Amino acid sequence: MTPLPTDQHAFNYSPWYFWRDAGPEAQSDQIALQQDLSERLGYRFGDQCFVSVLAAVENDDLAFGDRTYVAAGAYLSGSLQAGRDCTINAYAVVRGQIRLGDAVRIGAHTSILGFNHTFSDPDTEVFRQPVWSRGITIGDDVWIGSHVVILDGVTVGDRAVIAAGAIVTKDVPAGAVVGGNPARVMRWRVPQPVPAASDLAAFADRAREQTSALLNRSWDPDSRMFTDRPGAPLTDPARSIRAQCDAVEIADLLLGRAPDQLPVEEQIQRLRAPQDLDLFDGADSYHVLCAGYALDLLGSEFPEPIRFLSTATPQEIAAGLRKLPWDGGAWHGGHIVDGLGTALHWNLRKGEPPQDGVIETLFGWLQLNADPRTGMWGEGAPDTGLLEIVNGFYRASRGTYAQFGRPLPYPERVIDTVLEHVRDARFFAPARQNACNVLDVAHPLWLTRHTGHRTAEVTAVAEKLLHQALGHWTDGAGFGFQTPHPSTRGLAATVPGLQGTEMWLAIIWLLADLTGTSSELGYRPRGVHRPEPAARLIPAALA
């Protein structure tokens, strides 16, 4: 049969037919083209790939898995790594730092742009200003319709679908179907793993039944003290106090009373340490949180106001805040702010307000220095992405805005930042999770839930993390700080203990509340991880 003139470019526009229907000469030419690109430019091709001679392929680096195709009119530049069975259809633009998983299909006239121009200098034309790139990552089995635009910095999860014409400016959850401008989750292609109400109730019942055994496991009768877990040393005073406080929190949460191992008055006296503390010292700052809330649950309090906060001047508070390592060390900065805010709470409860201007200085500094891009404080570190600022935000906001019920400066940006961070597999892959990192996304999402911003995505994240968390409980022992996994077997952080148990119980409540199922647990945190404000700032202090 004589080919029609309109057939001369058929494979260039429908490349998936090439290796089935093209003749030997055409296939030989395609192999030669790929060999030439490999030899001259270092490109790497799997078996039965296809690159149209009508495409513009100008990449600095390119690697294709088996059966990945580029159709006519496509424009490729930058660094592109694609898995198997990917198709870049006619007139698609794929530029910048791009990583495609397996079976990614990109519709015609779609633009995936993993770079952008800066435009910070108004006196320089934009095209003359530097280009920067965060890159775009697209997971496995993703369907991208025609005329879609995906902008730099976006991660698209596995098995997602992006509807034709969508403008994607934020991460797309795995299994989501998104569309619109800007793209929003419309429904789910893949049902999300949602714990049933009966699963939560059964978990809570099992935890309550095992609480006494769990506490006995960490009780050292010789020293009459709790350890984090059997065999943990008691030589570190800060860790020893932490274990006593964790035991108090767990017993209150699950049993509604103090631990049975020690008379309540003896527990109180052990925690009522002298209050000669420096709140810009990390250990002293944490003591105010840990011991303060444990005493509160035991019906007591510190014997005296926190003298550091009683005597500090606004200038001293401002100078101390400025010196904290917000750029690259935002967790430590947030840790100190948490201690300052909690000391303020205990002192106000005793009728001991700080010097005039201290409250305004603390909250004013936080308000002025919150980054409107992220809603948080400081900058991330190159090797840990957003981890430092997200974890630092939890600590700083917990002791101030959350503890006193004050509105956050940029709550929607907080949600955006947390949703971007939680896609980082370095910290949220099942084998990589720990109680600190998960708590530090669960609480900010809970604190900002009233905005209604990206609610479907927030709920999906909460359901996924909750489903994973419930599976980490070890009967008779509780939770380890780090999640157990075959690849982490033997690490001390995965051994169940009081710290991990106390934190994961609070995490599970926060995540369950985000999904509307917390009532099934039959408990609500009342200590350091309490969800509602612990107090209100006195009106005169804000006047």
Side-chain angles (χ1 to χ4, degrees), residues 69-88:
Y69 314 132
V70 178
Y75 176 26
L76 281 54
S77 69
S79 175
L80 173 59
Q81 297 185 37
R84 61 164 179 81
D85 296 301
C86 297
T87 301
I88 301 171

Side-chain angles (χ1 to χ4, degrees), residues 101-421:
D102 294 332
V104 176
R105 315 298 272 203
I106 300 170
H109 299 279
T110 281
S111 294
I112 300 176
L113 305 173
F115 72 100
N116 209 339
H117 276 276
T118 57
F119 47 88
S120 55
D121 183 356
D123 297 323
T124 302
E125 294 163 322
V126 172
F127 82 95
R128 299 184 188 278
Q129 297 194 43
V131 171
W132 55 274
S133 173
R134 289 184 292 169
I136 293 172
T137 299
I138 297 174
D140 298 334
D141 187 20
V142 174
W143 185 274
I144 303 171
S146 296
H147 293 279
V148 168
V149 176
I150 302 177
L151 298 183
D152 188 37
V154 165
T155 295
V156 179
D158 296 343
R159 297 195 283 177
V161 173
I162 303 177
I167 309 297
V168 183
T169 61
K170 302 294 182 183
D171 290 353
V172 176
V177 179
V178 304
N181 178 10
R184 293 284 186 268
V185 176
M186 300 186 295
R187 58 187 179 88
W188 295 94
R189 175 191 173 203
V190 180
Q192 300 299 289
V194 181
S198 58
D199 295 334
L200 288 170
F203 159 77
D205 289 343
R206 186 166 75 252
R208 272 186 285 271
E209 291 169 1
Q210 298 175 19
T211 301
S212 294
L214 184 154
L215 293 173
N216 277 327
R217 174 178 177 266
S218 292
W219 173 249
D220 180 54
D222 295 333
S223 64
R224 292 176 61 79
M225 295 182 69
F226 288 99
T227 63
D228 181 63
R229 57 189 183 277
L234 286 166
T235 54
D236 183 341
R239 289 190 177 276
S240 298
I241 289 294
R242 170 70 187 255
Q244 315 318 302
C245 297
D246 287 335
V248 170
E249 295 255 8
I250 293 166
D252 181 82
L253 202 63
L254 296 177
L255 301 178
R257 62 177 187 268
D260 298 329
Q261 284 77 5
L262 201 64
V264 171
E265 192 57 37
E266 191 172 341
Q267 296 180 54
I268 289 172
Q269 291 306 316
R270 181 167 287 170
L271 297 176
R272 286 170 63 116
Q275 299 309 293
D276 187 15
L277 304 172
D278 177 359
L279 294 181
F280 284 101
D281 176 271
D284 287 356
S285 182
Y286 192 80
H287 181 83
V288 170
L289 274 70
C290 179
Y293 270 103
L295 285 167
D296 189 49
L297 293 175
L298 294 170
S300 185
E301 60 185 1
F302 289 126
E304 301 291 338
I306 311 296
R307 287 191 288 273
F308 179 95
L309 199 65
S310 298
T311 60
T313 66
Q315 292 78 13
E316 289 170 336
I317 295 296
L321 291 172
R322 285 194 298 270
K323 290 178 182 177
L324 294 173
W326 295 105
D327 291 346
W331 181 89
H332 179 73
H335 170 66
I336 298 302
V337 170
D338 200 356
L340 289 168
T342 306
L344 175 63
H345 167 48
W346 302 134
N347 282 12
L348 289 176
R349 260 192 19 180
K350 280 186 168 292
E352 180 84 10
Q355 291 194 31
D356 288 347
V358 164
I359 294 176
E360 292 85 348
T361 298
L362 176 59
F363 280 86
W365 192 94
L366 293 171
Q367 198 81 11
L368 287 172
N369 286 279
D371 188 337
R373 301 171 303 158
T374 64
M376 302 184 178
W377 296 280
E379 295 288 342
D383 56 340
T384 55
L386 296 170
L387 181 70
E388 281 283 344
I389 65 168
V390 171
N391 289 8
F393 173 83
Y394 161 67
R395 294 298 305 275
S397 64
R398 194 221 69 83
T400 54
Y401 294 93
Q403 191 160 238
F404 292 102
R406 307 304 303 168
L408 290 165
Y410 306 104
E412 292 186 348
R413 300 293 76 76
V414 169
I415 295 171
D416 293 340
T417 303
V418 171
L419 290 179
E420 181 179 351
H421 173 53

Side-chain angles (χ1 to χ4, degrees), residues 17-105:
Y17 296 128
F18 179 80
W19 294 103
R20 187 191 72 183
D21 296 339
E25 184 179 352
Q27 292 188 6
S28 179
D29 288 345
Q30 179 63 209
I31 291 170
L33 171 63
Q34 293 178 31
Q35 288 177 339
D36 180 61
L37 292 172
S38 298
E39 292 169 2
R40 287 193 301 110
L41 301 174
Y43 294 172
R44 302 174 298 284
F45 298 97
D47 292 337
Q48 294 191 335
C49 290
F50 179 88
V51 178
S52 172
V53 295
L54 301 180
V57 180
E58 301 176 1
N59 298 84
D60 301 317
D61 178 64
L62 182 144
F64 284 173
D66 297 344
R67 299 175 302 281
T68 286
Y69 314 132
V70 178
Y75 176 26
L76 281 54
S77 69
S79 175
L80 173 59
Q81 297 185 37
R84 61 164 179 81
D85 296 301
C86 297
T87 301
I88 301 171
N89 268 299
Y91 302 103
V93 175
V94 181
R95 302 186 65 199
Q97 306 297 311
I98 311 295
R99 182 183 295 272
L100 309 179
D102 294 332
V104 176
R105 315 298 272 203

